[in-house]
Amino acid sequence: MKKLLQQACLEHPYLCDGAMGTQLMLAGLEQGNCGEEWNVTHPERVLAIQRRYTQAGADCIITNTFGGSRIMLNRHSNGGRAAELNKAGVAIARQSFEGRDGYVLGDIGPFGGLLAPFGEFTEADVQTAFEEQAAALVEAGADAIIVETQTSLEELLIGMNAAKTAGACCIIGSMAYDVTLDGSNFRTMMGIEPERAAEFMEENGAHIVALNCGTGMDMERALQAVERYKSVSSLPVMAQPNAGKPKLVNMKVVYDETPEQMVKGLMPLLNAGANIVGSCCGSTPEHTRAFRKVMDEFLESKGFEAVGAKREN
Ligand SMILES: [Zn+2]
């Protein structure tokens, strides 16, 4: 039987995939449309994207279910299809490995609103939605649940508890940090610093502590976050930084760090003990391919076998 991800990644680092949203847009998804619906209406397009990531050498694929909670899906009148779309997402991610061993991480993104008293959603609303999503992801065979791009500990906890209730054997909590205006620090939008987040996640049953996305969180900042996580927690650490810092081009936010630029920060991350590394906004299968090469050098230097990538076609 395959090892649990939280055990496997302690032996040597694993490579996770890159961005999904921008890849869906490139494949024809229009801004504001429901990307999760494509798991059923255009599964071949989602599969093609994820296959590019596995062929580039990704060991872990995150399902196309970021906005797959009933609350998010309701915006597209797809709330009633939550279970269907999440299960399809797991099946596609699994298929993308083409029979090779790999880890499918069932993705739970933010529910997209604010909790009461600041917003209109009660904890019970969010709990119901996350439990439904987590159950579908686990039932369909996800190897882990990643509760990601989180900024508040309250919402993170609801997501992690939902994963627990669903029987997930690996739960990953992943926070999105923003670099402060003066550049001296980073914390989430809700003011949470990495040490606090890691301690909270460990106390509440996470198996892996992670960070992803955020504002200004490039490879260098990810390294700092990994170090700060490691200073307070003994859990494996996962990092998925963006492809550089966001720039405003034609009123659109773009991330334009090339694979060559971004990959320079990978060896320091691995040397700092990062257990799983992937990439977030602006990254592509080419970034994953560049990461694979460096990660393979790292693996070989430690006496492990290189994983390699398939030739581009
Ligand atoms: Zn991102």
Side-chain angles (χ1 to χ4, degrees):
M1 219 183 97
K2 190 163 63 181
K3 276 185 195 150
L4 292 172
L5 180 58
Q6 63 267 39
Q7 292 165 353
C9 74
L10 285 177
E11 290 167 18
H12 66 72
Y14 278 71
L15 179 59
C16 193
D17 60 5
M20 173 53 83
T22 39
Q23 294 293 310
L24 288 172
M25 304 278 184
L26 286 174
L29 180 73
E30 280 176 44
Q31 185 98 43
N33 283 7
C34 181
E36 290 74 20
E37 191 180 308
W38 272 28
N39 292 341
V40 169
T41 56
H42 299 294
E44 72 292 344
R45 295 191 199 173
V46 178
L47 178 62
I49 294 167
Q50 293 186 325
R51 199 174 264 160
R52 281 201 285 279
Y53 281 119
T54 61
Q55 291 186 343
D59 305 301
C60 308
I61 292 287
I62 297 180
T63 58
N64 177 37
T65 58
F66 179 84
S69 68
R70 177 177 288 262
I71 296 172
M72 283 291 272
L73 290 172
N74 271 337
R75 299 175 174 189
H76 308 283
S77 310
N78 276 333
R81 301 176 71 186
E84 177 198 3
L85 298 179
N86 281 282
K87 285 182 182 175
V90 173
I92 296 167
R94 181 71 66 201
Q95 210 185 331
S96 74
F97 283 107
E98 302 178 300
R100 180 160 75 83
D101 247 358
Y103 290 91
V104 171
L105 314 189
D107 194 12
I108 297 182
F111 77 89
L114 288 173
L115 282 167
F118 307 104
E120 55 183 307
F121 294 94
T122 66
E123 270 195 43
D125 294 334
V126 179
Q127 185 186 335
T128 304
F130 281 172
E131 282 182 355
E132 175 185 38
Q133 186 179 13
L137 293 168
V138 170
E139 224 173 279
D143 299 303
I145 296 285
I146 179 165
V147 184
E148 63 142 309
T149 321
Q150 291 297 318
T151 58
S152 90
L153 297 180
E154 291 76 15
E155 185 178 343
L156 170 75
L157 182 61
I158 300 172
M160 287 188 7
N161 282 340
K164 218 180 287 175
T165 302
C169 51
C170 175
I171 301 170
I172 307 169
S174 190
M175 308 301 283
Y177 300 103
D178 302 329
V179 175
T180 53
L181 277 181
D182 66 0
S184 65
N185 195 4
F186 49 86
R187 55 175 82 95
T188 73
M189 196 170 58
M190 308 303 273
I192 312 298
E193 299 206 14
E195 290 84 357
R196 172 83 186 104
E199 284 169 350
F200 181 86
M201 287 192 259
E202 186 156 7
E203 280 162 19
N204 287 286
H207 302 100
I208 298 174
V209 295
L211 67 124
N212 71 287
C213 209
T215 308
M217 294 299 291
D218 53 12
M219 292 293 271
E220 210 173 303
R221 295 292 183 168
L223 172 63
Q224 294 169 4
V226 166
E227 286 168 343
R228 291 173 71 175
Y229 277 174
K230 294 244 171 214
S231 74
V232 294
S233 168
S234 56
L235 292 178
V237 173
M238 173 173 180
Q240 299 183 92
N242 292 328
K245 298 186 173 77
K247 290 177 190 148
L248 210 54
V249 177
N250 296 330
M251 297 310 285
K252 264 179 143 176
V253 178
V254 296
Y255 298 84
D256 61 359
E257 203 168 57
T258 64
E260 295 71 30
Q261 292 168 326
M262 195 177 180
V263 79
K264 283 188 193 134
L266 180 56
M267 201 54 101
L269 256 183
L270 297 175
N271 284 329
N275 303 90
I276 306 173
V277 182
S279 48
C280 201
C281 293
S283 64
T284 68
E286 290 324 300
H287 291 77
T288 304
R289 192 172 287 274
F291 275 34
R292 180 77 270 166
K293 223 172 145 215
V294 169
M295 196 176 271
D296 278 349
E297 282 164 24
F298 181 86
L299 290 179
E300 287 184 320
S301 76
K302 303 283 176 197
F304 294 99
E305 242 176 84
V307 173
K310 282 199 178 175
R311 222 157 41 82
E312 284 165 77
N313 44 22

